Amino acid sequence: MKRPSWPVPGFLAVVFLLPLAPATPAAAQSGKVRIVQTNSAGDNVHIIDPATHQVVQVIEGIPKAHGVAAAPDGSALYFSNEIHRTLEIVPTDVMTVTERIPLSGRPHNIAISNDGRKVYVAIIQGCSCVDIVDLERGEVVKTIRTLGTVHNVFMSPDGRHVAAGMIGARTLTIIDTSIDEPVWSLHFSGRSTGGYPDGGVRPMAFETHPDGSTKRLFVQISNYHGVQVVDFATRTVVEKLDMPSLPISRVTNDALQGSPGHGLAVSPDGRQLWSTSKPNGHVYAWSLPDLEYLGGVEVGHIPDWLTMTPDSRYLYVANAGSNDVSVVDTREMREVARIPVGQVPKRNKTVVFR
């Protein structure tokens, strides 16, 4: 596949610095932690400073960004562009799109290898597959066929596996990154309350053993208001964590898209599991490893994705229905800030720029 030349007509991107932003690009300052927030119905990406809980930068010119990943050394950001079906490359020293790599179809979420050489791209339309982009060559070097179109891909903390989740096929497939081939799959075919199929695979999160290998996968499923717990060794669902029910007067069914839970995070210290609840407008937490329920925090409208600061103190919640990001203090179990961003914010990522 030929790498497109740059610049590409009609694809120009600029960086807009908000008032009072420092002259040096805020996100590119060495050693700074930043929250990268995509906007699924907009054409920009917001950069948030967790030290102040404020937007410090906006990257323009990335329409309908879906997934976001970052180079391990913080030197670049990567976005999947649903409109142009490309992988966007944004070096953090310039904070603007410098390259676009064509993909096999319309992309959804993305994941990067631990060595920073490959990006795995979920393809939701155009083929039932996962694209593998070689970043040194600037092209798709392999396409892994799957049982259905892929909504999400997640890299395991040890970098040994990619978990690919399919909605229509109701299947979770594990890819071995040493050979870039599928090694096993788990099909979700149960029924939720009311008789609806609950098999579409949505966000996932990893829990690890002390040596860093995968212990359990936490999986959100279409039409199930909770989290399913998958034992990685036995490849089976071993537990289900139901989220609380609120009085009907406090529940919303707006924009649920068949997925009442659509955001998971395991805290960097490995002590907590967090989940969003779209109908409840809450995020909920369980302790790890015992999975005891810790409580919930009310956030914005239609919470849709999660990321955490490296010290596990703050949880950033993308509220797709209210176009803002809630900041939750995980020790005090309360919302401490609400940050306006773009249109329908969803996927987000915590990045340390070195």
Side-chain angles (χ1 to χ4, degrees):
M1 184 177 296
K2 186 178 179 181
R3 185 189 304 198
S5 60
W6 179 258
V8 181
F11 278 51
L12 293 178
V14 297
V15 176
F16 173 68
L17 294 179
L18 295 180
L20 303 181
T24 302
Q29 293 178 2
S30 177
K32 295 294 185 179
V33 178
R34 294 291 184 260
I35 307 300
V36 181
Q37 179 62 64
T38 68
N39 301 296
S40 65
D43 60 359
N44 55 20
V45 173
H46 285 67
I47 309 296
I48 299 168
D49 182 353
T52 61
H53 305 315
Q54 293 183 354
V55 173
V56 293
Q57 201 166 12
V58 180
I59 306 172
E60 302 284 0
I62 306 178
K64 204 171 183 181
H66 196 107
V68 54
D73 64 0
S75 62
L77 302 174
Y78 307 95
F79 302 93
S80 52
N81 182 325
E82 288 196 63
I83 299 298
H84 302 296
R85 302 188 175 195
T86 53
L87 180 70
E88 317 280 272
I89 300 179
V90 177
T92 55
D93 59 347
V94 296
M95 293 301 283
T96 188
V97 179
T98 60
E99 187 174 359
R100 290 180 167 90
I101 300 173
L103 301 167
S104 297
R106 180 172 147 231
H108 269 193
N109 204 14
I110 64 177
I112 192 167
S113 61
N114 284 10
D115 61 9
R117 296 180 178 179
K118 298 181 291 186
V119 172
Y120 295 78
V121 184
I123 303 297
I124 194 65
Q125 187 180 61
C127 70
S128 296
C129 64
V130 174
D131 275 351
I132 302 177
V133 175
D134 185 311
L135 293 172
E136 292 183 355
R137 294 171 57 177
E139 62 182 5
V140 175
V141 293
K142 186 170 184 176
T143 296
I144 302 173
R145 299 296 169 181
T146 53
L147 296 174
T149 57
V150 184
H151 178 46
N152 281 313
V153 286
F154 292 91
M155 181 67 63
S156 64
D158 63 4
R160 295 177 57 190
H161 300 99
V162 169
M166 287 144 265
I167 297 175
R170 305 177 189 171
T171 300
L172 160 66
T173 292
I174 299 297
I175 297 167
D176 184 331
T177 59
S178 67
I179 56 175
D180 285 332
E181 293 289 346
V183 288
W184 61 267
S185 294
L186 176 61
H187 187 66
F188 294 85
S189 57
R191 296 274 171 174
S192 63
T193 302
Y196 296 100
D198 68 359
V201 180
R202 303 290 183 155
M204 294 171 272
F206 292 84
E207 181 189 32
T208 63
H209 292 289
D211 66 358
S213 61
T214 300
K215 177 182 178 181
R216 293 184 292 195
L217 263 175
F218 303 110
V219 184
Q220 287 171 326
I221 298 295
S222 298
N223 297 310
Y224 171 56
H225 191 220
V227 181
Q228 300 204 17
V229 183
V230 176
D231 181 87
F232 200 77
T234 62
R235 307 172 186 180
T236 58
V237 175
V238 293
E239 192 170 353
K240 293 185 179 182
L241 309 175
D242 294 330
M243 283 189 270
S245 298
L246 294 184
I248 190 66
S249 61
R250 297 184 59 191
V251 173
T252 177
N253 289 315
D254 295 342
L256 293 188
Q257 299 175 316
S259 180
H262 198 274
L264 282 174
V266 169
S267 60
D269 62 13
R271 295 179 180 178
Q272 293 180 335
L273 168 68
W274 285 86
S275 173
T276 64
S277 167
K278 290 182 181 181
N280 289 1
H282 276 65
V283 289
Y284 296 107
W286 293 263
S287 63
L288 292 175
D290 49 7
L291 294 174
E292 290 187 4
Y293 177 66
L294 298 176
V297 179
E298 187 170 5
V299 291
H301 190 52
I302 313 295
D304 203 275
W305 205 262
L306 301 174
T307 191
M308 300 187 75
T309 50
D311 62 1
S312 303
R313 177 67 185 268
Y314 294 107
L315 178 76
Y316 280 75
V317 186
N319 301 313
S322 50
N323 295 331
D324 50 32
V325 173
S326 292
V327 184
V328 173
D329 186 315
T330 62
R331 296 178 191 170
E332 299 181 3
M333 294 292 286
R334 66 184 182 93
E335 184 187 60
V336 295
R338 190 81 65 86
I339 307 166
V341 287
Q343 294 296 307
V344 192
K346 292 190 178 181
R347 267 63 53 175
N348 50 24
K349 181 77 173 178
T350 302
V351 180
V352 179
F353 295 92
R354 297 184 174 90

